[in-house]
Amino acid sequence: MHNGKARAFTNIALIKYWGKKDQQLILPMNSSLSLTLDAFYTETSVSFSKNYTEDLFYLDGRLQGEKNTQKVARLLNLARKQAGINEHAVVYSQNFVPTAAGLASSSSGLAALAGACNDALELNLSSTELSRFARKGSGSACRSIYGGFAEWQKGDSDQTSYALPVESNHWEDDLAMIFVIVNDKAKKISSRNGMQQTVETSLYYNDWLKAAETDIKTAKKAIANQDFHALGEVIEANCLKMHATTLASTPPFSYWTPDSLKAMNKVYEMRQAGQNCYFTMDAGPNVKVLCPKKDSQKIYDELQKEFSEQQLVLAHAGKGIESLETEVAK
Ligand code: DP6
């Protein structure tokens, strides 16, 4: 029996990963930059044993079907290959989210699984190797190896595509992100399918790639200078450019709902009234508002005029991946 357990925090991309050039290895078309947050995390334990006859994946106490087990099975196979074993595994994963609004994330989930496999099979991976390993489960997971800001350098091979911490002199500790959780009644297109459809069909995809390259430089400069407005401007514009690619794909689609627009407009209004805040959005309708920590209560109160307390989650910078004690001794 080989046991391992790890905790990883969710990261939110400020400059988005949107598109793969290799779907097997999960090599991205563009580099991306994220902030790891403290409010959402996943704890995952894995046991490999000769006694198991199949891989099983329990998420929040429920045994998952084939579709939800796919990403997990892929990492398990890679871990087995690396360790030279063929034992099946049982994975228990628990998502810790402050509300019941379904904010489960593949970034924390697959990073925690990568960490748990690393411990269970004593793979002794360095941070870079762990980032590469997590990447093969879900692209965004490679950034959750680190706390604070991280850059996923796109590279051009399995060896060269991984995340690294971005030097910020702890500036992330002065920032906050408020999640505006919008009810999703729209038909869901996963980020994996959405980005692939966009790569293959969007008229704007090449322009997105050009813009992403410039945006990441601008964002890194803003972080180095601790310039909140410069960072806010570039992240909001980058998110809008990513979402524009979906409208120009065939068939066209959008992750936005009327409530997403309401939240975006609220951010514009608050900015016009002199508040420091900018939004970003991922492959879903929720809006995330970046602001200085010192202003976060004021901005939270302002958002509460439009959204209920259950819809708002205040987060701060989170830590990198951590190994946890397993209940069963090795
Ligand atoms: C819009 O990492 O979930 O959140 O690599 O296919 O598992 P796969 O996709 P995933 O995509 C995240 C897309 C995004 C932007 C980002 O996190 O950079």
Side-chain angles (χ1 to χ4, degrees), residues 11-20 23 26-27 30-34 71 105-107 110 134-143 152 190-193 195 208 242-243 255 281-284 288:
N11 72 74
I12 294 296
L14 302 178
I15 303 298
K16 306 295 179 189
Y17 144 53
W18 196 239
K20 296 179 182 63
Q23 295 192 65
I26 311 198
L27 301 179
N30 63 284
S31 297
S32 54
L33 189 147
S34 61
K71 287 184 178 184
S105 151
S106 65
S107 68
L110 275 295
R135 186 200 79 224
K136 287 178 261 192
S138 182
S140 55
C142 79
R143 300 181 307 233
W152 177 8
S190 69
S191 43
R192 191 160 284 191
N193 293 340
M195 71 173 77
W208 154 257
M242 176 199 121
H243 285 270
Y255 290 108
M281 286 179 71
D282 293 302
K288 294 117 193 178

Side-chain angles (χ1 to χ4, degrees), residues 162-232:
Y162 51 79
L164 287 173
V166 173
E167 181 44 59
S168 63
N169 215 357
H170 303 293
W171 185 45
E172 66 274 14
D173 295 337
D174 297 340
L175 301 177
M177 191 176 265
I178 303 169
F179 286 66
V180 183
I181 299 155
V182 163
N183 260 339
D184 179 11
K185 300 249 162 49
K187 192 172 162 237
K188 266 198 163 170
I189 302 179
S190 69
S191 43
R192 191 160 284 191
N193 293 340
M195 71 173 77
Q196 189 53 25
Q197 184 177 319
T198 308
V199 172
E200 284 165 12
T201 68
S202 180
L203 284 178
Y204 300 162
Y205 194 74
N206 281 334
D207 288 333
W208 154 257
L209 286 181
K210 267 188 242 153
E213 205 169 307
T214 315
D215 289 350
I216 201 160
K217 287 188 192 136
T218 309
K220 282 167 73 176
K221 200 164 148 204
I223 291 169
N225 295 334
Q226 305 199 349
D227 182 339
F228 182 77
H229 292 286
L231 182 65

Side-chain angles (χ1 to χ4, degrees), residues 186-317:
K187 192 172 162 237
K188 266 198 163 170
I189 302 179
S190 69
S191 43
R192 191 160 284 191
N193 293 340
M195 71 173 77
Q196 189 53 25
Q197 184 177 319
T198 308
V199 172
E200 284 165 12
T201 68
S202 180
L203 284 178
Y204 300 162
Y205 194 74
N206 281 334
D207 288 333
W208 154 257
L209 286 181
K210 267 188 242 153
E213 205 169 307
T214 315
D215 289 350
I216 201 160
K217 287 188 192 136
T218 309
K220 282 167 73 176
K221 200 164 148 204
I223 291 169
N225 295 334
Q226 305 199 349
D227 182 339
F228 182 77
H229 292 286
L231 182 65
E233 266 174 29
V234 73
I235 70 151
E236 193 172 285
N238 181 266
C239 142
L240 291 171
K241 283 177 247 184
M242 176 199 121
H243 285 270
T245 65
T246 72
L247 294 176
S249 87
T250 309
F253 66 103
S254 173
Y255 290 108
W256 298 358
T257 64
D259 273 349
S260 315
L261 286 164
K262 188 168 114 183
M264 288 187 243
N265 276 326
K266 185 70 190 166
V267 170
Y268 291 142
E269 270 173 34
M270 286 193 287
R271 249 193 351 252
Q272 261 164 10
Q275 304 272 24
N276 296 318
C277 54
Y278 294 87
F279 65 78
T280 187
M281 286 179 71
D282 293 302
N286 298 326
V287 176
K288 294 117 193 178
V289 182
L290 184 72
C291 63
K293 197 179 197 171
K294 63 176 174 44
D295 301 338
S296 60
Q297 194 55 50
K298 219 166 33 187
I299 289 168
Y300 184 98
D301 293 345
E302 201 50 49
L303 285 165
Q304 233 192 320
K305 292 182 185 161
E306 308 271 350
F307 299 94
S308 69
E309 208 175 313
Q310 290 76 16
Q311 288 181 286
L312 299 175
V313 178
L314 174 61
H316 299 108

